[in-house]
Structures are given as C-alpha cells and as structure tokens.
Amino acid sequence: MPPNDEVPPQDSAASPDSPERPEPPEPTPGRLRSTDIARLAGVSVSAVSLAFNARPGISDSTRKRILDIAEELNWRPHRAARALKGAGNDVVGIVIARPARTLGVEPFFAHVLSGLQSRMSIEGIATQLLIVEDTEAEVAVYRRWAAENRVDGLVLFDLAVDDVRPQLVADLRIPAVILGGHGAPSPLTSVWADDHAAMTRILDYLSSLGHRFIGHVSGVPSYQHTRRRLRAVADARETLGVDIVTVETDYSDTQGASATRRLLEASPRCTAIIYDSDVMAVAGLGVATEMGVRVPDDVSIVSFDDSVLTRLPHPPITALTRDTYALGTLTATELLHVMAERPEPRAVQAPTPELVPRGSTAPPPERRVP
Amino acid sequence: MPPNDEVPPQDSAASPDSPERPEPPEPTPGRLRSTDIARLAGVSVSAVSLAFNARPGISDSTRKRILDIAEELNWRPHRAARALKGAGNDVVGIVIARPARTLGVEPFFAHVLSGLQSRMSIEGIATQLLIVEDTEAEVAVYRRWAAENRVDGLVLFDLAVDDVRPQLVADLRIPAVILGGHGAPSPLTSVWADDHAAMTRILDYLSSLGHRFIGHVSGVPSYQHTRRRLRAVADARETLGVDIVTVETDYSDTQGASATRRLLEASPRCTAIIYDSDVMAVAGLGVATEMGVRVPDDVSIVSFDDSVLTRLPHPPITALTRDTYALGTLTATELLHVMAERPEPRAVQAPTPELVPRGSTAPPPERRVP
DNA sequence: TAGGGCAACTAAAACGTATCAGGCATATTG
DNA sequence: CAATATGCCTGATACGTTTTAGTTGCCCTA
C-alpha cells in the first residue's frame, strides 16, 4: 500500500512521525475536493468517483464508507468540474418573450411553471427562467446558451404561426419540447391541447342554452392556439347556425374591457360573450357590472382559461378548466424523455379542457321589443 | 512515456505535408474551443482569453479580430470550464417553500420575480427557481447548492420569526439578500418595507372616513411582516381609539372567505374589513356580494396588496399599492452588490406602499336601530 | 502449478478555460 | 548607446472531476 499513511485525527501539536505533512488547521476550509474524501476513506479519487456515480467496480462496503464520509462533510462533486467532463448541467431553460412587467398576471403560466419545476426537481434538475422583450432577444438567448453549453433542455411557449424557434433550437441540438404546439409535424416534440374541441365545447354549451348571437373576445391571432380557436368558431357558425362576432385583442385586461364595452353597446346585442383568457373575462365582467348589464340575466360570460380569477368574483365565471399544473408535469416528463433518449419528435396530446358551468351563464333573456 | 503510442487515424492516406495533424473535416463540428478561435485568428489561446475577459495585455485590433471571429462562429467560452477556474456561475437561486400547486396564485411573487430576473439578466445572470414543500427541504437545497457550488447568490423570501435560514446561508458563505426581512440586525442584508407604517395608513384612512369598528383578516402570524402589521393594529387601537377584531388565516382564498363570513355574521357588525392579501380581499368581496351585504354601502373593503385582482372586480378594491416589480429590481441590485463586494449586512428600506382609494371604501352607514 | 478470469482498486489522461511567469520586440530614459 | 521600461503576446500549469487503461491479488479450473 502506497504512502497513504492515515492521518490520525490529532488536534494536538504536530505529530512528529509525519514531518512532511504540516496540515495547517485552515480557518477557511478552502473547499473539499474528492481528494480529501479519498484520503479520509483511504482510497483513491477514482474510487470516490465510482462511489458517487453508482458505477460498478467497487465493493459495497467501500462505497458506503465513502458516501458516509462525504455525507458527513457535506461534500459533493463540484458541478463545474463534472459538467466539464461532459455530464449534464442539470438545468433546463425557459425563456419567455413578454414585457416583464406584464408577466405574473397570467396564472396559467405560473401554474405550468410550478408543475414543470416540481417534476424536474425530482430528478435534481433546476429550472432557469429568463424573461426577454421579444422573440429576437429570445433567439439570441438560445444561441448564447447553446454556445455556452448552459442548459440541458428547453421548453418553448407561445408558439406562433410560422415560428422560427423550433427549427433554430433543433439546429442548435438542444433537446426541447414545445408547450402548446399543434399536432402537425415539427422538428421538436410538442405537448398540445385540442383548442378546437375545447372551443367547440363552449359553443355547444351556449347553443344548448339557447344563445344564438355570441360575442368572442379573442387573443393575438398570430398564436397557433388562437388560430385553432378561431377555426372552431368558424366551424360552429355553420354547424350550429349561431351568429358569432369576434373582437381581437392582445390578451390584456385593458383591451378585454374595451372589447366588452364595444360588444355590449352594439345593437342588437349578443347574449353571451366568450373570452380567450381569464384576465379578460374578469375585466369584461367588471365592465358589464359597471354598465348595468346584469350577468347572467342580460349576458352570459364564459372564459377559456380557468384560475382563481374566475372563481373569486361574483358571480363566478363559467370556464374551461384543466389541470394546468399537470400540464406542466406532463411537459417536464416529456422533456426528460427527450433529454435522455433523443427520440424522434412526436406530438403528445394533453387532455381537452372541461367546461365547468358556474353562475355567469344562463339561458338568454326573452326577446323583447327594442 | 508508457506504450501510449499515438494511433494514426489511418482512414485516409496520411497527408504528406503535416503528418502529425490529420485534421479530419468533422461532419458534426464537435464543439468549438478557444483553440479553434485562436488558430483562426492566428494567436494563442491565452490571447483569446484576454480578449474575451476584457483584460489588458492585448492590442485593440487583435482583440477585435478575435471577437469578430468568435461572433461569427457563435463561439463562447464553455461555462463549466470557466466556472471551474473560479469564475462565477452567473446564476442566482431562489427557493420557495410552498406547496407547488398553490404557487402562481400570488401576483406579488410573480411580479417580484419578474423584476428580479429582469435586473439580473442585464448582468447576464440567470435565475434558478426551485419550489420545495417545506423549510426543511429548502435548507437541504441550500446545503446542496453550497456543496456543489451551483449558485453565486440567493434571495430569501417569507422570513419567519426565529428563521434559521439567514444564519445558515451566512455560514455556508453564499451571498444572499432577504426580501421582506425586518430592520433589525441580521447576518444577511435585507430589503424590507415598513409594514407598520403601511398598515397605519390604512387605519388612518378608514378612521378618517368615520369607521370605528374594523375587521382585520390577517395572514400567518409566524411571518415577520404579519407581526409588524399586527403591532400596527394594536397601536391603532390606542392611538385612534377604534375597535379592531383580527381573524388569522393561512392567506388562502378559502380561509379569507370563511373569515369574512364570520365577520359579517357577527353582531354588531364591523363597517370595514382589512385583508392582508389581494386574494383574500377578492374572496371576501365575493362573500359579501353573495350575502347581500353591499360594498361599500354596508361594509368597506381594503386590501393590503395590490394587483390585477383588486383592480378588476366591481367595485374595484381600495388597496395599498407599491411597485412590486421595482421591489424585485431593488432586491436584485442589492444582491449584485453583495455578490461583488461582500459588504457588511445592512437593511435597505423599500418605499412604503401608498394607499389608493377605489370604489370599495366609503364612510360607514348611518347608525340605525337594530 | 500454470493459466485464465474476475473483483477491487489505482495512476494518469482528459475536459476547456484562465492565469501566471516569462519572451521578444520596440520605445524611453540617462 | 546601453539600460530600462512598456506593450503585446505565448507556453505551461491549474481548476476538480470522470474515464480509460491498467495492476494487483485472489479464486477457479485444468
């Protein structure tokens, strides 16, 4: 056995038998390294590495001894050194292209993030969040992250029509998953919900209540999911024979409110309004109340998204509900799979949101003379 | 030298002019390294390093040439290698100890995070978010991150009375800032708001409207900021001579609703209710409406936190408002300072929230016979 | 008893960058 | 003009791991 003479845990004066090892009692412990653990366990650094990575080639007793010592000293392999050897960083990145100040208004996003994060942390993977101003900046971040080797995976949000990001990210060889993509072929795996079917559920419901003239406050039409909803609206005009008027907005409460005002001032007036987001629905409810339009007696209100926002006001708002948290965990699971196996891209369908009738919807008022 | 004789890649005929450098045209570019940039620029790797780290010892023209080439090839220093040399990871961590499913309901947190993140990203620092179940798990994460050298800084939220985290994080030598700590001495720098003064603003306002019996739906009393608010309430009882009854909750909309019901069913009934959070205030408004208690005619409502939640319902809710986003950027700036300079801990006071009267508050109803 | 096979372990070579101690010109000084 | 300083650049080394290619010693088999 080499000069691996064990150092006696001697707090007293310098042990005379080993003059070549002064071993100063460092006040700042510097940093523990695998060497230190190896020395204390009486093995080589290689053995420490084998123990920590659960690899064969080491006896169980030695492994346990090493791990115990490391545990006691709260030592772990230095991440950077590990990553340098080609191991992952255990980080996934999420870049959101929105004005930072408006973020946090969207319960949807926060919930998805929670679910995603929760699933990832089970694997010891952290989530890195970056908020940028626009898609251009977002693309720059992807390039930088790819060059720096900063993340092991990505989640893409808010896919637009003709979005450049999937191809870019695929070219950069970063494992990634699209949340809210379409079912169509794509260079990336996507997790998507059937917005068309979801919107149809709302329209069927309102139609069955007797509504024949419906307002639709939609979101940004460049988003893919908005497109799908609009298509469902178009289809319903034919299938159900209802009259639907759409007002496009930017998803903000401000535009949701003004769109509502416009719809309610029009004559003839629609008997129900569908909102593409919970924030706009609540804003719309406020406008109606303010204008003296009773909900649901005069007009019914339905929200496409559900959250605490829709449940708290009076009356609570009928909404499509889905387990947004579970959507996050599903996305995370899929991303983990992509990171591990690099499979061919595929489309994973999330459950279609369910309609939850609440107090904001009722049959339309009797037709009365103007 | 051991039998490590180099194996010639004999797939092609050895190029006669440089037999020691086969330089195969790699189809997968592997990865660019500083060596490649150096070769293309006709300099050494050291020069590349000097150029990228803006250090002296290199001419401007050479620097530019190197940077241009790197830019063109989208090359950047490998993060792990850089971090291994002692440079920072350019990552700050945020650990939130709450049930993941309930997160995302809090606009406050999301806004702060946006501001924080936005300021950090200016410095090229990413924000790593982790949601854990309880404080015990949170502490474990700090230990792990410290051992792994994963983050350059931390932000601590939701400080409790007798919180163990500040001392732990200080012991682990991780630069950190507390958001919402108190003004008292602490091992860590903290950014705090004067909750006492803020609550006093609400009480003064309600008192000046003529309210003499006020309900207070408070949050978890183990939080430091809750304590400060309660103290302000106690002080106001004496100073203003108003009668205040406090109901403690866990900040959830459910408990906010039931607390409201209890307050409104009591006799005599209070003429105003203060809520410690926006979520509870909105829930309370819903309960009042449902019970046929008019707001603000029968009871006034004030929220301690402001957000889209308080602005959207009808009537909009009078609230203490502050620039939560700016609070995030302020915290970020402070953390950057701590990371760079390791100064003595200090307490940075954020602006005291301002009261914004909205439709939910009015003078109390005339006293009438029971 | 030689040989092979195996388990347990180790020495040394990466990984990609930053830094440090020079080296070599050219400019400045006495 | 020699001596010194300065500007620009390079070679070698270190950072803390993982991994590869061994090297033991031991048991089993023929």
Side-chain angles (χ1 to χ4, degrees), chain B residues 183 190-195 197 327 330 334 346-353:
Chain B
S190 66
V191 175
W192 68 294
D194 190 342
D195 287 81
L327 185 62
L330 176 62
E334 202 56 36
R346 60 172 182 159
V348 179
Q349 184 168 1
T352 303

Side-chain angles (χ1 to χ4, degrees), chain A residues 139-213:
Chain A
V139 164
V141 169
Y142 292 145
R143 303 195 91 91
R144 181 154 56 85
W145 281 1
E148 290 180 347
N149 199 269
R150 199 190 251 275
V151 296
D152 302 330
L154 289 175
V155 179
L156 266 48
F157 280 81
D158 292 336
L159 217 66
V161 180
D162 294 329
D163 203 306
V164 299
R165 295 173 296 161
Q167 190 59 54
L168 170 82
V169 168
D171 288 346
L172 290 172
R173 307 282 170 91
I174 311 178
V177 167
I178 298 168
L179 178 49
H182 47 7
S186 149
L188 299 179
T189 287
S190 67
V191 175
W192 67 295
D194 190 342
D195 288 82
H196 189 286
M199 180 59 92
T200 305
R201 285 185 181 176
I202 297 180
L203 294 163
D204 284 348
Y205 167 72
L206 289 177
S207 169
S208 73
L209 282 179
H211 293 275
R212 287 289 165 266
F213 182 23

Side-chain angles (χ1 to χ4, degrees), chain A residues 111-117 119 179 323-334:
Chain A
H111 278 129
V112 169
L113 194 61
S114 291
L116 196 74
Q117 152 56 48
R119 177 71 184 85
L179 178 49
D323 193 335
T324 326
Y325 180 88
L327 186 63
T329 59
L330 175 63
T331 307
T333 303
E334 201 57 35

Side-chain angles (χ1 to χ4, degrees), chain B residues 210-248:
Chain B
H211 292 275
R212 287 288 164 266
F213 181 25
I214 300 174
H216 173 213
V217 179
S218 94
V220 185
S222 64
Y223 285 148
Q224 289 189 3
H225 53 257
T226 308
R227 289 285 177 101
R228 289 198 296 270
R229 296 177 195 179
L230 290 174
R231 193 160 307 128
V233 165
D235 290 350
R237 281 201 191 93
E238 295 198 9
T239 320
L240 302 174
V242 293
D243 191 9
I244 310 176
V245 52
T246 292
V247 184
E248 286 176 2

Side-chain angles (χ1 to χ4, degrees), chain B residues 67-80:
Chain B
L67 291 180
D68 284 350
I69 290 176
E71 167 74 23
E72 189 180 350
L73 272 60
N74 189 34
W75 177 85
R76 299 195 169 239
H78 194 290
R79 288 220 59 73

